[in-house]
Amino acid sequence: MRHPHTRTTRRRVVGALTAGLLCAAGLAGPALAASAQAPAAPALADGLALTPPMGFNNWNSTHCSADFNESMVKGIADLFVAKGLKDAGYQYVNLDDCWALPQRDADGKLVPDPARFPNGIKAVADYVHSKGLKLGIYTSAGTKTCNSAGFPGALGHEYSDAQQFADWGVDYLKYDNCNNQGVDAKKRYTTMRDALEATGRPIVYSICEWGQNKPWEWASDVGHLWRTTGDISDDWSSMLSILKQNLPLAPYAGPGHWNDPDMLEVGNGGMTDTEYRSHFSLWSVMAAPLLIGTDLRKASPATFDILDNKEVIAVDQDPLGKQGTVVSSADGRWVIAKEMKDGSRAVALFNESGTAQRIATTATAVGLPDASAYTLRDLWQHKSYNTAGTLAATVPAHGTVLLRVSADPRWAAHPPAAELGLDGSTLLEAGTPATLTSTVTDLGRNPARRVSASLTGPDGWTVRATSPATAGTLATGQALRTGWTVTAPAGTPAGSYGLTLRARYVSPTGQPVTDTVPLTASVVVRPPAGTSYLSDLTWLSATSGWGPVERDTSNGESAAGDGHPITIGGAVYAKGLGVHAPSDVSFYTGKACSKVTADVGVDDEKGTKGTVTFEIWADGTKVASTGVLTNAMPAQPLTADVTGAQVIRLVVTDAGDGNDSDHADWAAARVSC
């Protein structure tokens, strides 16, 4: 859970973990190799959490608001049953902070807040149990919990608090890390383990010390799951950072002892549905606990569709209990594979980047034995195919294709898999034709027949084939390549627009197949002639480690517009971009610009904190960079030659020491065209 006085401290720890575990972009090699040599500690032998816990926690959607109360908790339990989530495997309905009064009673006992829980916690537990579900509760391994109101923590009260929880019928305890008075983490968390065991009630024990003391190395016989990172936020950068910290820890996970990269944000509104599907897919392939963090009373059908995907849940809940490992990662193209009990592999083709990319691997590379062909199941499309061994897809920006692949002798019962791709730049200037080439490639062991390709755009756009869009037969590895011209009408506003690439074909057994790939085209406008401030131009994409990228103010870490005047070394700037590392802001320059200039540095608003590096990229090539800059340094001039570049990117890194207080300013950033 999150507390305003400790958040930056937690992020500093998270960043240090990132630097230590990932080392560099080549995560799949040395980081995993080092982790794989770690000895496995024994797990608790109580038969609990043999698969990752699934359920709900209110914190990400309500925090301590008035919405968090008995009515909400009962409503969530009702929805678990009514919406089929219980049948899908979700069972824990967990209370987070703020359920208690700020003071214990005269006997030192915890007191449920009568305004939130007028009938007490036991009555809520009884209701949840009546639905065939289980109740979870929260406290901290400190004198107070993490909320600024300071609710009582369990340090020094472990045995009496554990007995209260057991008497109420609690089935799950989340044990946080705030106000711990410097007491050794192993001691604090082991004491509560012993206290829970002394009650005689089976209670799943979730250690939430944010990975500060590497609990994966010592806690497998203390708790059933342990947080590996700081708190998640409902944004792409946070989810991605946590993913990269948790991936190398696969050797430490297994039945009864799980790495916990924090709760799900699916449905809370800070990411797109494509990003939420990636979030859910990646947590599942990492065998992470699946704790819903959105208020299901307000959830959209799309949110329920993601949370209720039983084929993806089966990956998470596989009884073998293996966490997926990285097969490859380069240029934002990730292949992550998870060994399954039936011998198959779950394979995530994950696209970290902001544009669609082809991601490919092979059945043998993900650990399957040599075979003449394989059965391939797309877990989001709910379709099965056969493949001769190649696993490949064009994956949308921030998207994930999740496959389950097996060396199945019955592969011929399924149609051949086809890979759809689109080559060429999808950056279009309105009124100017763009040239693209689609490909439909047979990946199957048998031929695809009567193959056709189509490309469609928004209403009013002109899309024309310039070469044949049909083929009679495609054998294994053969492709149908079709040229297209795509024109957005003159006057089309700048922005992102959908394109759909579709292939139709027939399998050798006569099965008709239709495959589609959603893609994005961006209508772009060149900067005007002369020199322009970048904060006055429309960017192609913008990501920031905390909070959005800000125009002409510093980054305030939360909502848009919460920054302050850009100030570096006492100098105040009226124009510029305010970001928080790690960040990446891209602009279309259309090969018409020559130079980017800025004064760069760490904003004064964070006192003595913050270390960053600044980089300027032109069409994939780094053309300028700084060394490590700190808050103690004045603004540094940075100039880059971007002649001939179609796209420029302004990148800020955390300088390898974590992103605590890394408020970075591109002061007076300008482009000459």
Side-chain angles (χ1 to χ4, degrees), residues 97-111:
D97 206 355
C98 308
W99 60 267
L101 287 179
Q103 302 297 328
R104 296 175 180 269
D105 68 14
D107 296 322
K109 296 294 184 67
L110 296 165
V111 182

Side-chain angles (χ1 to χ4, degrees), residues 12 35 100 193 222 437 439 468 486 541 553 573 648:
R12 182 167 60 251
S35 295
R193 176 202 65 185
V222 178
T437 301
T439 57
V486 179
S541 64
T553 70
Y573 296 80
I648 59 170

